[in-house]
Amino acid sequence: MARWAIAIHGGAGVDPNLPEHRQEEAKRVLARCLQVGVDALRSGAAALDVVEAVVRELESDPFFNSGRGSALTRLGTVEMEASIMDGRGRRCGAVSGVSTVKNPVSLARLVMDKSPHSYLAFDGAEQFARDQGLEVVDNSYFITEDNVGMLKLAKEANSILFDYRIPLAGSETCGAQAASSDNSHGNGMVMNGLPISIYAPETVGCAVVDSSGHTAAATSTGGLMNKMTGRIGDSPLIGSGTYACGACAVSCTGEGEAIIRSTLARDVAAVMEYRGAGLQEAVDYCVKERLDEGFAGLIAVSGTGEVAYGFNCTGMFRGCATEDGFMEVGIWE
C-alpha cells in the first residue's frame, strides 16, 4: 500500500501587508477544503475524484479566484478555465472561456471522460456542458461586488489588476498603486509590472496521490482582472499549469505567461524522471531555474506519498496533509 498525500493552493504572490483577518479567512477556507480531501482519502477515494471534489469546494467559495468570485474581463464578464489530469495513462481534460458552468473543473473532468478530446473552449465547452447535464447558472452568479469595484479601479489605472481583494475603502490608494510599476513600492517586488501590494492571482489547485499510488492534479481560475476577452492562461494548459504522471502530480499558480513559457508543471516531473531528483529537489530546481524573470509557485505530491511546494514571491496560500498525520496550512515561508 502506498501512502496517500494531498496538497492544495489558493494562489502565489501575496501582499505582505494583507490584513490579519484576511489571512485568517484564507486559512479557514484552505483548512476546510483540505479536510474535504483528507476525509475522502481516508475513506479510500481515488486521487482523481479527490482533486475534483476539493477544487469544486474551492470554486464554490468566493474568497479565491475560481468559480464564484472569479476575476472580470474588460467587459465586466467572467471567463473561467480549468484542467484536470490523471497520472494513470496521463489522461487529461481542460476547458477555457467558460461563463455559465458552476464548476469548471467538473466540466474538464467530463471532457476527459466523456469526449474524444482533451480541451474544449468557449461556445463548444458551454454546449458540451449542457449536453452532459452539468449545472449551469447565469454569469452574474460568479460576479461579486468587490470584483466590480476592483475592475473599475483597474480600468481607471489602465492596467491589468491582480489583487482585487483589497478593501474598496482603500480605492484611491489601490488606484494609485495600479497605475505605477515603480519597484520602490512595498518590498520592491513587482509581478507582471505591478507592485506586489496589488498582486494576488488566487488561482486554486490540488495535487493528490491516493493509497493505491495513483496521482492526479487539477487547477481552476478566473484569470486576470481586466484581462482581454479570450485571454487564456496557464491553468488549463497541460504541462504548464497542471501535470500528473507516475512520478508526481503538480498544480501551478502565479504569472501565467511565465508558467506557460517554462512548461513548469511538466518540468518538475522531467527533473524527477531524467535527473533522478527527489520531489522537493525537483520543485526547488524548477522554481529557481525555469521561470527566468517570472514569479510563480507550485504544489506537488510524489507517487510515494511526499508533499512539496515552492515559490519565488512573497507568499503562497497553501495547505497539505499526509497519511502519517501531518497537516499544515500556511501563507508565508
Side-chain angles (χ1 to χ4, degrees), residues 198-287:
I198 60 166
Y199 185 95
E202 296 174 343
T203 292
V204 305
C206 181
V208 165
V209 59
D210 61 29
S211 57
S212 297
H214 299 141
T215 67
T219 311
S220 181
T221 190
L224 306 179
M225 184 65 73
N226 199 30
K227 65 183 180 181
M228 295 175 63
T229 57
R231 182 263 183 184
I232 294 172
D234 67 286
S235 296
L237 301 184
I238 300 301
S240 291
T242 304
Y243 194 74
C245 61
C248 63
V250 183
S251 175
C252 300
T253 174
E255 291 183 338
E257 281 67 22
I259 294 171
I260 292 169
R261 291 192 300 270
S262 66
T263 58
L264 188 62
R266 168 57 192 158
D267 261 19
V268 173
V271 171
M272 294 181 71
E273 293 169 352
Y274 302 138
R275 294 185 55 173
L279 181 67
Q280 188 66 61
E281 180 186 356
V283 168
D284 291 343
Y285 177 83
C286 291
V287 169

